[in-house]
Amino acid sequence: MRCNKNKSPIFSAEQLRRISFQMLEGLKYMKNRGVIHCDMKPENILFTDQSYQAIKIIDFGASCEDCKKGFFYVQSRYYRAPEILLGNTYDHAADMWSLGCIIFELIMC
């Protein structure tokens, strides 16, 4: 994702609220199904409409079902949760950390 050089917000507050809510709903759905995405990043979130209000979470190639054993590669560097950096066990909270990083990036750019 590239930041806006004009320093004006790329998304309105209402758009950010809707996008964030949909990402949270997606992560809630995955958690209820026992799936950890393991690679949440802006490139894996697609807009499905012209007004940039509806999203889909994609690319489940690194995902796992309630990972008992961790994988070697989990999450992109900039969105990696602390427990993964430390080599500790991880769960659905790692995706929430990534989501927080994504939302922060959307707000700050």
Side-chain angles (χ1 to χ4, degrees), residues 10-102:
I10 294 174
F11 298 105
S12 69
E14 180 61 23
Q15 282 177 308
L16 284 172
R17 187 190 68 73
R18 287 183 185 181
I19 293 166
S20 300
F21 180 78
Q22 290 176 66
M23 286 189 285
L24 284 168
E25 286 292 310
L27 290 180
K28 179 181 172 184
Y29 180 84
M30 287 187 284
K31 182 179 180 183
N32 289 340
R33 304 293 178 283
V35 175
I36 304 172
H37 190 280
C38 294
D39 197 21
M40 289 291 293
K41 58 186 174 185
E43 292 86 354
N44 290 338
I45 299 168
L46 296 181
F47 289 102
T48 60
D49 66 340
Q50 296 288 329
S51 61
Y52 302 104
Q53 306 263 345
I55 61 126
K56 285 193 182 223
I57 298 171
I58 64 165
D59 191 3
F60 288 84
S63 66
C64 60
E65 292 183 41
D66 287 326
C67 310
K68 302 298 180 209
K69 290 175 132 181
F71 292 117
F72 175 73
Y73 175 81
V74 180
Q75 297 180 312
S76 297
R77 178 180 301 145
Y78 301 114
Y79 308 98
R80 197 168 289 160
E83 58 267 30
I84 294 170
L85 287 171
L86 296 171
N88 295 338
T89 58
Y90 58 90
D91 59 10
H92 300 91
D95 284 342
M96 285 298 293
W97 176 274
S98 298
L99 175 62
C101 294
I102 293 167

XYZ file of all heavy atoms in Angstrom, residues 10-102:
759
model
N -7.015 8.945 2.552
C -7.415 8.140 1.405
C -8.848 7.672 1.589
O -9.638 7.661 0.658
C -6.471 6.933 1.236
C -5.075 7.420 0.863
C -6.991 5.971 0.190
C -4.039 6.328 0.810
N -9.190 7.282 2.830
C -10.522 6.790 3.156
C -11.181 7.729 4.152
O -10.523 8.263 5.042
C -10.453 5.388 3.758
C -9.890 4.362 2.833
C -8.604 3.889 3.001
C -10.656 3.857 1.784
C -8.073 2.935 2.148
C -10.135 2.902 0.923
C -8.849 2.446 1.093
N -12.485 7.881 4.019
C -13.224 8.669 5.006
C -13.331 7.859 6.295
O -13.117 6.644 6.305
C -14.622 8.999 4.478
O -15.412 7.824 4.415
N -13.703 8.539 7.366
C -13.873 7.848 8.648
C -14.946 6.766 8.535
O -14.809 5.680 9.093
C -14.226 8.851 9.744
N -16.004 7.041 7.784
C -17.076 6.066 7.605
C -16.584 4.853 6.818
O -16.909 3.712 7.140
C -18.278 6.702 6.906
C -19.438 5.764 6.678
C -20.021 5.184 7.957
O -19.858 5.773 9.039
O -20.647 4.109 7.871
N -15.796 5.071 5.779
C -15.234 3.959 5.015
C -14.328 3.108 5.902
O -14.391 1.884 5.861
C -14.450 4.463 3.809
C -15.287 4.888 2.637
C -14.424 5.445 1.530
O -13.605 6.323 1.760
N -14.624 4.939 0.332
N -13.480 3.756 6.703
C -12.588 3.022 7.608
C -13.386 2.196 8.603
O -13.023 1.062 8.903
C -11.656 3.985 8.340
C -10.507 4.538 7.530
C -9.793 5.631 8.313
C -9.536 3.440 7.152
N -14.474 2.752 9.103
C -15.320 2.023 10.053
C -15.910 0.786 9.390
O -15.855 -0.311 9.941
C -16.437 2.928 10.587
C -17.251 2.288 11.692
C -18.492 3.100 12.037
N -19.477 3.095 10.977
C -20.256 2.041 10.657
N -20.147 0.928 11.321
N -21.140 2.134 9.685
N -16.426 0.938 8.191
C -17.032 -0.197 7.481
C -16.000 -1.259 7.121
O -16.243 -2.458 7.284
C -17.739 0.281 6.221
C -19.006 1.015 6.506
C -19.708 1.413 5.255
N -20.867 2.219 5.596
C -21.689 2.708 4.708
N -21.505 2.472 3.433
N -22.705 3.429 5.090
N -14.857 -0.824 6.640
C -13.792 -1.765 6.277
C -13.335 -2.525 7.516
O -13.195 -3.751 7.500
C -12.610 -1.015 5.617
C -13.023 -0.446 4.257
C -11.398 -1.921 5.476
C -12.048 0.587 3.705
N -13.091 -1.804 8.609
C -12.633 -2.430 9.853
C -13.662 -3.426 10.373
O -13.309 -4.537 10.790
C -12.366 -1.365 10.920
O -11.373 -0.472 10.487
N -14.925 -3.045 10.331
C -15.986 -3.923 10.811
C -16.026 -5.212 9.988
O -16.138 -6.310 10.542
C -17.340 -3.204 10.758
C -18.473 -4.058 11.236
C -18.682 -4.248 12.590
C -19.319 -4.684 10.332
C -19.732 -5.045 13.040
C -20.365 -5.481 10.767
C -20.570 -5.658 12.125
N -15.916 -5.091 8.674
C -15.953 -6.274 7.817
C -14.741 -7.178 8.049
O -14.868 -8.408 8.043
C -16.019 -5.863 6.349
C -17.344 -5.245 5.972
C -17.335 -4.761 4.557
O -17.252 -5.563 3.634
N -17.406 -3.457 4.376
N -13.571 -6.576 8.281
C -12.391 -7.395 8.575
C -12.575 -8.121 9.899
O -12.232 -9.301 10.014
C -11.123 -6.534 8.577
C -10.686 -6.122 7.187
S -9.055 -5.341 7.141
C -9.403 -3.733 7.802
N -13.126 -7.429 10.896
C -13.391 -8.070 12.190
C -14.397 -9.201 12.050
O -14.228 -10.268 12.643
C -13.905 -7.034 13.198
C -12.859 -6.104 13.774
C -13.525 -4.960 14.520
C -11.915 -6.862 14.681
N -15.446 -8.986 11.269
C -16.433 -10.035 11.037
C -15.789 -11.235 10.344
O -16.091 -12.382 10.671
C -17.595 -9.501 10.190
C -18.530 -8.593 10.952
C -19.317 -9.346 12.003
O -19.916 -10.380 11.694
O -19.330 -8.877 13.156
N -14.896 -10.972 9.393
C -14.199 -12.056 8.709
C -13.318 -12.855 9.658
O -13.307 -14.095 9.625
N -12.593 -12.165 10.530
C -11.736 -12.861 11.491
C -12.573 -13.630 12.515
O -12.197 -14.732 12.929
C -10.800 -11.879 12.193
C -9.695 -11.284 11.318
C -8.835 -10.340 12.138
C -8.852 -12.369 10.685
N -13.701 -13.066 12.894
C -14.608 -13.769 13.819
C -15.121 -15.050 13.176
O -15.159 -16.112 13.811
C -15.769 -12.852 14.193
C -16.773 -13.468 15.127
C -17.881 -12.459 15.406
C -19.011 -13.090 16.193
N -20.114 -12.145 16.388
N -15.504 -14.967 11.914
C -15.987 -16.135 11.181
C -14.902 -17.205 11.119
O -15.160 -18.386 11.372
C -16.419 -15.715 9.770
C -16.926 -16.854 8.930
C -18.246 -17.262 9.025
C -16.081 -17.521 8.050
C -18.732 -18.310 8.257
C -16.544 -18.569 7.282
C -17.871 -18.965 7.385
O -18.326 -20.010 6.623
N -13.663 -16.787 10.800
C -12.559 -17.750 10.718
C -12.284 -18.382 12.076
O -12.063 -19.590 12.166
C -11.294 -17.073 10.180
C -11.370 -16.766 8.702
S -9.823 -16.154 8.018
C -9.812 -14.477 8.608
N -12.319 -17.568 13.133
C -12.067 -18.112 14.469
C -13.128 -19.137 14.844
O -12.816 -20.201 15.395
C -12.031 -17.002 15.511
C -11.732 -17.519 16.892
C -11.661 -16.428 17.923
C -11.347 -17.046 19.269
N -11.332 -16.061 20.324
N -14.379 -18.839 14.538
C -15.468 -19.781 14.840
C -15.315 -21.085 14.072
O -15.841 -22.118 14.493
C -16.825 -19.150 14.541
C -17.185 -18.071 15.533
O -16.651 -18.016 16.637
N -18.074 -17.183 15.135
N -14.614 -21.061 12.951
C -14.368 -22.256 12.145
C -13.011 -22.894 12.460
O -12.631 -23.887 11.871
C -14.416 -21.940 10.645
C -15.688 -21.290 10.135
C -16.853 -22.214 10.224
N -18.143 -21.720 9.822
C -18.946 -20.910 10.504
N -18.557 -20.363 11.633
N -20.161 -20.624 10.078
N -12.267 -22.271 13.392
C -10.975 -22.820 13.794
C -9.847 -22.542 12.806
O -8.845 -23.249 12.799
N -9.992 -21.499 11.980
C -8.991 -21.189 10.962
C -8.200 -19.952 11.374
O -8.776 -18.930 11.744
C -9.651 -20.947 9.587
C -8.639 -20.495 8.555
C -10.375 -22.200 9.125
N -6.885 -20.053 11.299
C -5.995 -18.909 11.495
C -5.458 -18.551 10.117
O -4.888 -19.400 9.426
C -4.843 -19.246 12.457
C -5.389 -19.737 13.792
C -3.950 -18.022 12.659
C -4.316 -20.272 14.728
N -5.635 -17.308 9.684
C -5.230 -16.891 8.341
C -3.711 -16.931 8.186
O -3.195 -17.391 7.179
C -5.757 -15.483 8.033
C -5.584 -15.072 6.617
N -4.394 -14.613 6.123
C -6.461 -15.066 5.584
C -4.540 -14.323 4.838
N -5.795 -14.587 4.484
N -2.985 -16.431 9.147
C -1.511 -16.449 9.208
C -0.823 -15.540 8.197
O 0.412 -15.543 8.124
C -0.954 -17.866 9.054
S -1.380 -18.956 10.407
N -1.555 -14.774 7.414
C -0.902 -13.854 6.468
C -1.805 -12.665 6.167
O -1.963 -12.275 5.014
C -0.523 -14.582 5.182
C 0.506 -13.809 4.359
O 1.210 -12.943 4.939
O 0.598 -14.050 3.146
N -2.383 -12.083 7.207
C -3.214 -10.901 7.010
C -2.316 -9.718 6.659
O -1.357 -9.429 7.375
C -4.013 -10.582 8.277
C -5.117 -11.557 8.587
S -6.478 -11.499 7.430
C -7.141 -9.881 7.755
N -2.621 -9.082 5.545
C -1.912 -7.893 5.086
C -2.806 -7.193 4.071
O -3.758 -7.801 3.563
C -0.555 -8.252 4.487
C -0.621 -9.212 3.325
C 0.769 -9.626 2.893
C 0.677 -10.708 1.806
N 1.994 -11.200 1.450
N -2.543 -5.927 3.768
C -3.421 -5.199 2.841
C -3.589 -5.882 1.481
O -4.663 -5.825 0.893
C -2.733 -3.846 2.686
C -1.979 -3.670 3.957
C -1.516 -5.054 4.333
N -2.561 -6.548 1.008
C -2.639 -7.208 -0.296
C -3.630 -8.368 -0.295
O -4.045 -8.824 -1.356
C -1.265 -7.731 -0.719
C -0.268 -6.636 -1.034
C 0.479 -6.120 0.200
O 0.144 -6.529 1.342
O 1.376 -5.297 0.020
N -4.002 -8.856 0.882
C -4.939 -9.969 0.987
C -6.354 -9.516 1.348
O -7.169 -10.309 1.788
C -4.434 -11.003 1.991
C -3.228 -11.740 1.460
O -3.007 -11.795 0.253
N -2.441 -12.302 2.351
N -6.605 -8.234 1.170
C -7.942 -7.686 1.381
C -8.342 -6.972 0.095
O -7.682 -6.028 -0.332
C -7.961 -6.712 2.577
C -7.550 -7.458 3.838
C -9.331 -6.079 2.728
C -7.244 -6.588 5.005
N -9.398 -7.463 -0.533
C -9.850 -6.906 -1.801
C -11.172 -6.181 -1.639
O -12.047 -6.620 -0.901
C -10.038 -8.019 -2.842
C -8.808 -8.797 -3.261
C -9.192 -9.825 -4.315
C -7.740 -7.873 -3.798
N -11.309 -5.083 -2.362
C -12.592 -4.394 -2.428
C -13.435 -5.057 -3.502
O -12.942 -5.392 -4.570
C -12.392 -2.906 -2.748
C -11.786 -2.147 -1.613
C -10.443 -1.806 -1.616
C -12.561 -1.773 -0.527
C -9.885 -1.112 -0.568
C -11.999 -1.085 0.536
C -10.663 -0.755 0.517
N -14.711 -5.223 -3.197
C -15.598 -5.909 -4.135
C -16.617 -4.964 -4.765
O -17.517 -5.416 -5.459
C -16.350 -7.052 -3.435
O -17.119 -6.513 -2.361
C -15.374 -8.088 -2.899
N -16.476 -3.674 -4.527
C -17.394 -2.716 -5.122
C -16.644 -1.457 -5.542
O -15.510 -1.236 -5.150
C -18.532 -2.377 -4.162
C -18.062 -1.627 -2.924
O -16.857 -1.685 -2.607
O -18.892 -0.987 -2.278
N -17.299 -0.633 -6.329
C -16.689 0.590 -6.864
C -16.521 1.692 -5.817
O -15.692 2.579 -5.979
C -17.534 1.124 -8.026
C -17.588 0.204 -9.213
C -16.279 0.168 -9.971
O -15.558 1.154 -10.009
N -15.957 -0.970 -10.551
N -17.297 1.637 -4.745
C -17.237 2.697 -3.735
C -16.256 2.372 -2.601
O -16.183 3.111 -1.631
C -18.631 2.953 -3.159
O -19.119 1.782 -2.528
N -15.525 1.280 -2.724
C -14.521 0.876 -1.722
C -15.131 0.726 -0.329
O -14.598 1.210 0.659
C -13.349 1.859 -1.687
C -12.655 1.992 -3.008
C -12.854 3.107 -3.814
C -11.819 0.987 -3.464
C -12.227 3.210 -5.039
C -11.188 1.080 -4.687
C -11.400 2.197 -5.471
O -10.772 2.296 -6.684
N -16.274 0.055 -0.273
C -16.954 -0.142 0.997
C -17.041 -1.612 1.396
O -17.083 -1.922 2.568
C -18.376 0.433 0.912
C -18.437 1.864 0.482
C -18.558 2.837 1.626
O -18.872 2.459 2.738
N -18.309 4.087 1.355
N -17.085 -2.509 0.418
C -17.235 -3.937 0.708
C -15.925 -4.658 0.411
O -15.275 -4.393 -0.598
C -18.359 -4.525 -0.149
N -15.523 -5.558 1.310
C -14.236 -6.246 1.165
C -14.401 -7.757 1.220
O -15.426 -8.271 1.679
C -13.237 -5.802 2.248
C -13.764 -6.125 3.660
C -12.919 -4.334 2.150
C -12.817 -6.923 4.468
N -13.365 -8.429 0.785
C -13.233 -9.880 0.958
C -11.797 -10.152 1.400
O -10.862 -9.525 0.911
C -13.498 -10.630 -0.341
C -14.945 -10.699 -0.695
C -15.185 -11.692 -1.783
C -16.662 -11.655 -2.112
N -17.249 -12.908 -2.284
N -11.645 -11.093 2.308
C -10.318 -11.536 2.735
C -9.943 -12.714 1.831
O -10.725 -13.642 1.658
C -10.328 -11.951 4.215
C -10.707 -10.755 5.093
C -8.963 -12.522 4.623
C -10.947 -11.088 6.544
N -8.742 -12.661 1.254
C -8.315 -13.690 0.304
C -6.997 -14.323 0.728
O -6.419 -13.937 1.739
C -8.173 -13.106 -1.122
C -7.064 -12.041 -1.164
C -9.496 -12.537 -1.610
C -6.613 -11.678 -2.544
N -6.514 -15.239 -0.067
C -5.213 -15.905 0.050
C -5.063 -16.664 1.373
O -4.398 -16.228 2.303
C -4.068 -14.923 -0.130
C -2.721 -15.635 -0.291
O -2.699 -16.887 -0.321
O -1.701 -14.942 -0.377
N -5.658 -17.823 1.396
C -5.590 -18.675 2.573
C -4.502 -19.737 2.433
O -4.541 -20.763 3.095
C -6.958 -19.326 2.821
C -7.979 -18.349 3.323
C -8.688 -17.550 2.445
C -8.198 -18.211 4.676
C -9.615 -16.640 2.907
C -9.128 -17.300 5.158
C -9.841 -16.511 4.268
N -3.496 -19.460 1.595
C -2.425 -20.425 1.352
C -1.573 -20.724 2.579
O -1.034 -21.814 2.716
N -1.450 -19.774 3.491
C -0.653 -19.978 4.705
C -1.526 -20.297 5.914
O -1.013 -20.457 7.024
C 0.193 -18.737 4.987
N -2.822 -20.397 5.711
C -3.726 -20.597 6.847
C -3.629 -22.022 7.393
O -3.127 -22.924 6.736
C -5.170 -20.297 6.432
O -5.617 -21.229 5.490
N -4.108 -22.162 8.611
C -4.116 -23.483 9.235
C -5.333 -23.576 10.148
O -5.912 -22.570 10.522
C -2.827 -23.729 10.012
S -2.525 -22.554 11.341
N -5.692 -24.787 10.480
C -6.811 -25.018 11.385
C -6.270 -25.250 12.790
O -5.660 -26.283 13.045
C -7.629 -26.220 10.929
C -8.355 -25.971 9.627
C -9.219 -27.136 9.234
O -9.876 -27.720 10.120
O -9.225 -27.467 8.047
N -6.491 -24.274 13.667
C -6.015 -24.346 15.050
C -4.634 -24.990 15.127
O -4.459 -26.073 15.689
C -7.017 -25.107 15.927
C -8.245 -24.276 16.198
O -8.106 -23.040 16.307
O -9.329 -24.846 16.299
N -3.667 -24.311 14.573
C -2.297 -24.824 14.446
C -1.759 -25.314 15.780
O -1.584 -24.538 16.708
C -1.390 -23.734 13.901
S -2.022 -22.933 12.436
N -1.515 -26.582 15.870
C -0.894 -27.143 17.076
C 0.616 -26.960 16.994
O 1.274 -26.650 17.965
C -1.223 -28.635 17.220
C -2.706 -28.914 17.289
C -3.344 -28.256 18.493
C -4.824 -28.560 18.525
N -5.621 -27.566 19.131
N 1.150 -27.162 15.805
C 2.561 -26.902 15.567
C 2.644 -25.667 14.688
O 1.925 -25.560 13.712
C 3.208 -28.064 14.815
C 3.373 -29.329 15.598
C 3.893 -30.385 14.674
C 5.058 -31.109 15.281
N 5.602 -32.118 14.386
N 3.498 -24.748 15.043
C 3.647 -23.547 14.241
C 4.406 -23.810 12.957
O 5.210 -24.723 12.877
N 4.127 -23.010 11.961
C 4.863 -23.080 10.712
C 6.119 -22.227 10.818
O 6.212 -21.340 11.650
C 4.006 -22.560 9.548
C 2.845 -23.435 9.223
C 1.555 -22.965 9.367
C 3.031 -24.728 8.760
C 0.466 -23.762 9.058
C 1.956 -25.531 8.446
C 0.672 -25.043 8.592
N 7.070 -22.481 9.919
C 8.293 -21.682 9.909
C 7.977 -20.253 9.471
O 8.409 -19.297 10.071
C 9.338 -22.305 8.978
C 10.574 -21.482 8.832
C 11.484 -21.396 9.868
C 10.812 -20.767 7.677
C 12.627 -20.618 9.759
C 11.944 -19.991 7.557
C 12.847 -19.919 8.593
N 7.211 -20.114 8.378
C 6.846 -18.786 7.886
C 5.417 -18.478 8.287
O 4.487 -19.158 7.869
C 6.973 -18.702 6.359
C 6.478 -17.388 5.824
C 7.284 -16.258 5.869
C 5.196 -17.255 5.329
C 6.831 -15.035 5.412
C 4.726 -16.041 4.864
C 5.551 -14.938 4.906
O 5.094 -13.726 4.464
N 5.251 -17.483 9.103
C 3.921 -17.034 9.504
C 3.911 -15.514 9.442
O 4.754 -14.869 10.053
C 3.569 -17.487 10.937
C 2.196 -17.004 11.334
C 3.677 -18.990 11.064
N 3.006 -14.965 8.708
C 2.766 -13.532 8.585
C 3.913 -12.792 7.903
O 5.081 -13.121 8.063
C 2.483 -12.887 9.944
C 1.241 -13.411 10.606
C 0.994 -12.746 11.929
O 1.896 -12.629 12.751
N -0.233 -12.324 12.158
N 3.546 -11.771 7.168
C 4.519 -10.884 6.544
C 5.199 -10.053 7.624
O 4.608 -9.742 8.659
C 3.827 -9.972 5.539
O 3.266 -10.729 4.499
N 6.412 -9.682 7.376
C 7.252 -9.020 8.378
C 6.572 -7.834 9.050
O 6.585 -7.704 10.271
C 8.548 -8.558 7.721
C 9.465 -7.826 8.671
C 10.740 -7.387 8.007
N 11.429 -8.538 7.479
C 12.132 -8.526 6.349
N 12.221 -7.421 5.661
N 12.737 -9.595 5.933
N 5.963 -6.931 8.294
C 5.415 -5.707 8.869
C 4.134 -5.929 9.656
O 3.703 -5.042 10.400
C 5.183 -4.672 7.775
C 6.447 -4.332 7.038
C 6.595 -4.650 5.698
C 7.506 -3.719 7.695
C 7.763 -4.349 5.022
C 8.683 -3.417 7.023
C 8.802 -3.729 5.685
O 9.954 -3.444 5.023
N 3.524 -7.090 9.524
C 2.261 -7.376 10.180
C 2.387 -8.535 11.161
O 1.401 -9.074 11.629
C 1.183 -7.681 9.118
C 1.131 -6.585 8.086
C 1.795 -6.726 6.870
C 0.486 -5.394 8.347
C 1.786 -5.705 5.933
C 0.473 -4.370 7.423
C 1.127 -4.526 6.213
O 1.134 -3.505 5.297
N 3.614 -8.906 11.494
C 3.900 -10.075 12.326
C 3.667 -9.771 13.808
O 4.163 -8.790 14.342
C 5.344 -10.508 12.094
C 5.641 -11.903 12.552
C 6.985 -12.356 12.032
N 6.908 -12.582 10.595
C 7.960 -12.619 9.791
N 9.163 -12.462 10.264
N 7.799 -12.830 8.493
N 2.941 -10.645 14.471
C 2.612 -10.483 15.891
C 3.830 -10.769 16.775
O 4.715 -11.540 16.396
C 1.475 -11.433 16.262
N 3.887 -10.160 17.968
C 5.026 -10.362 18.866
C 5.283 -11.825 19.230
O 6.437 -12.253 19.308
C 4.649 -9.561 20.116
C 3.661 -8.561 19.655
C 2.938 -9.186 18.502
N 4.233 -12.607 19.445
C 4.438 -14.001 19.827
C 5.128 -14.791 18.719
O 5.896 -15.721 18.984
C 3.122 -14.677 20.240
C 2.041 -14.675 19.195
C 1.088 -13.497 19.290
O 1.504 -12.417 19.728
O -0.076 -13.664 18.905
N 4.898 -14.412 17.490
C 5.563 -15.083 16.375
C 7.015 -14.643 16.289
O 7.910 -15.458 16.067
C 4.789 -14.821 15.064
C 3.424 -15.502 15.161
C 5.570 -15.308 13.860
C 2.455 -15.149 14.083
N 7.270 -13.350 16.499
C 8.651 -12.855 16.516
C 9.478 -13.553 17.590
O 10.657 -13.842 17.400
C 8.681 -11.347 16.774
C 8.241 -10.458 15.628
C 8.116 -9.014 16.108
C 9.208 -10.554 14.475
N 8.844 -13.843 18.726
C 9.543 -14.482 19.846
C 9.598 -16.000 19.732
O 10.212 -16.668 20.554
C 8.867 -14.086 21.161
C 8.932 -12.599 21.501
C 8.044 -12.280 22.689
C 10.370 -12.174 21.742
N 8.928 -16.550 18.727
C 8.946 -17.998 18.535
C 8.014 -18.744 19.476
O 8.162 -19.951 19.656
N 7.071 -18.035 20.067
C 6.110 -18.662 20.969
C 4.945 -19.265 20.181
O 4.793 -19.014 18.988
C 5.572 -17.637 21.970
C 6.648 -17.132 22.899
O 7.659 -17.788 23.099
N 6.441 -15.954 23.450
N 4.123 -20.032 20.870
C 2.924 -20.557 20.214
C 1.994 -19.392 19.899
O 2.015 -18.358 20.567
C 2.196 -21.573 21.112
O 1.868 -20.940 22.341
C 3.068 -22.791 21.366
N 1.178 -19.573 18.888
C 0.278 -18.507 18.477
C -1.103 -19.074 18.207
O -1.276 -20.284 18.067
C 0.816 -17.770 17.250
C 1.042 -18.664 16.050
C 0.032 -18.880 15.118
C 2.267 -19.289 15.853
C 0.237 -19.701 14.034
C 2.484 -20.108 14.766
C 1.472 -20.300 13.853
O 1.676 -21.111 12.777
N -2.061 -18.155 18.169
C -3.439 -18.543 17.885
C -4.085 -17.437 17.059
O -3.390 -16.663 16.393
C -4.203 -18.834 19.179
C -4.248 -17.649 20.129
O -3.851 -16.531 19.733
O -4.697 -17.829 21.275
N -5.400 -17.324 17.142
C -6.143 -16.356 16.346
C -5.759 -14.914 16.666
O -5.985 -14.026 15.854
C -7.642 -16.554 16.546
C -8.086 -17.917 16.148
N -8.131 -18.968 17.027
C -8.463 -18.414 14.956
C -8.530 -20.042 16.405
N -8.747 -19.745 15.142
N -5.192 -14.687 17.831
C -4.790 -13.332 18.215
C -3.717 -12.779 17.281
O -3.619 -11.559 17.107
C -4.284 -13.327 19.654
N -2.945 -13.637 16.655
C -1.925 -13.173 15.705
C -2.583 -12.464 14.520
O -2.071 -11.447 14.036
C -1.078 -14.342 15.223
N -3.720 -12.970 14.070
C -4.452 -12.306 12.990
C -5.004 -10.965 13.452
O -5.051 -10.000 12.685
C -5.595 -13.185 12.483
C -5.123 -14.329 11.603
O -3.977 -14.281 11.099
O -5.917 -15.272 11.409
N -5.420 -10.886 14.708
C -5.924 -9.618 15.243
C -4.819 -8.567 15.297
O -5.056 -7.395 15.029
C -6.524 -9.827 16.641
C -7.862 -10.506 16.632
S -9.125 -9.558 15.773
C -9.298 -8.161 16.855
N -3.604 -8.991 15.645
C -2.473 -8.069 15.653
C -2.269 -7.510 14.247
O -2.123 -6.305 14.055
C -1.208 -8.767 16.131
C -0.006 -7.893 16.059
C 0.809 -7.694 14.976
C 0.512 -7.053 17.093
N 1.798 -6.798 15.279
C 1.638 -6.389 16.565
C 0.136 -6.811 18.405
C 2.392 -5.488 17.321
C 0.890 -5.919 19.152
C 1.999 -5.271 18.613
N -2.283 -8.394 13.264
C -2.111 -7.970 11.876
C -3.211 -7.004 11.466
O -2.952 -6.005 10.781
C -2.113 -9.176 10.939
O -1.048 -10.034 11.241
N -4.431 -7.290 11.888
C -5.546 -6.411 11.574
C -5.317 -5.016 12.159
O -5.546 -4.010 11.493
C -6.856 -6.994 12.110
C -8.088 -6.104 11.948
C -8.386 -5.833 10.492
C -9.272 -6.730 12.642
N -4.839 -4.955 13.390
C -4.529 -3.658 14.006
C -3.489 -2.898 13.216
O -3.599 -1.680 13.011
N -2.476 -3.594 12.726
C -1.439 -2.961 11.907
C -2.025 -2.433 10.601
O -1.677 -1.337 10.153
C -0.315 -3.951 11.603
S 0.644 -4.477 13.038
N -2.914 -3.202 10.001
C -3.541 -2.790 8.742
C -4.397 -1.545 8.957
O -4.313 -0.576 8.187
C -4.399 -3.935 8.163
C -3.506 -5.090 7.736
C -5.241 -3.442 6.982
C -4.256 -6.387 7.450
